């Protein structure tokens, strides 16, 4: 499992670098702490783009909606 997770992490951060080369406008969301139940664990991460694309997940719901809203702001 650690290898698969490590491979995902490498891919995720390679994608961050590629997006920075294209356009520096996106939001990065990271679950830094979980209190109670949560659809994602601590460390989950996602990139949110102004055109409504998303890479990764924070578990959906209000949290992702808020970050999408912020990423869309000029």
């Amino acid at each position: 499992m650690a290898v698969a997770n490590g491979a995902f992490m490498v891919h995720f951060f390679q994608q961050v670098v590629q997006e920075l080369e294209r356009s520096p406008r996106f939001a990065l969301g990271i679950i830094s702490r979980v209190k109670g139940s949560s659809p994602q664990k601590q460390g989950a991460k996602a990139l949110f783009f102004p055109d409504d694309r998303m890479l990764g997940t924070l578990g959906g719901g209000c949290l992702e909606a808020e970050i999408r809203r912020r990423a869309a702001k000029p």
Side-chain angles (χ1 to χ4, degrees), residues 1-59:
M1 184 71 160
V3 173
N5 189 30
F8 171 77
M9 293 293 289
V10 168
H11 171 74
F12 184 84
F13 287 111
Q14 285 174 338
Q15 188 72 32
V16 170
V17 170
Q18 288 174 1
E19 294 299 335
L20 281 169
E21 291 171 350
R22 280 191 255 188
S23 171
R25 266 199 89 238
F26 60 85
L28 168 62
I30 301 174
I31 302 289
S32 60
R33 185 172 59 161
V34 174
K35 187 174 181 179
S37 64
S38 171
Q40 284 289 359
K41 296 179 181 178
Q42 183 175 341
K45 56 192 79 27
L47 296 178
F48 298 85
F49 302 92
D51 63 3
D52 213 31
R53 289 181 300 126
M54 184 174 83
L55 174 67
T57 184
L58 300 179

Side-chain angles (χ1 to χ4, degrees), residues 58-70:
L58 300 179
C62 297
L63 179 60
E64 282 187 2
E66 177 61 18
I67 297 172
R68 280 181 188 270
R69 184 187 68 75
R70 292 180 185 203

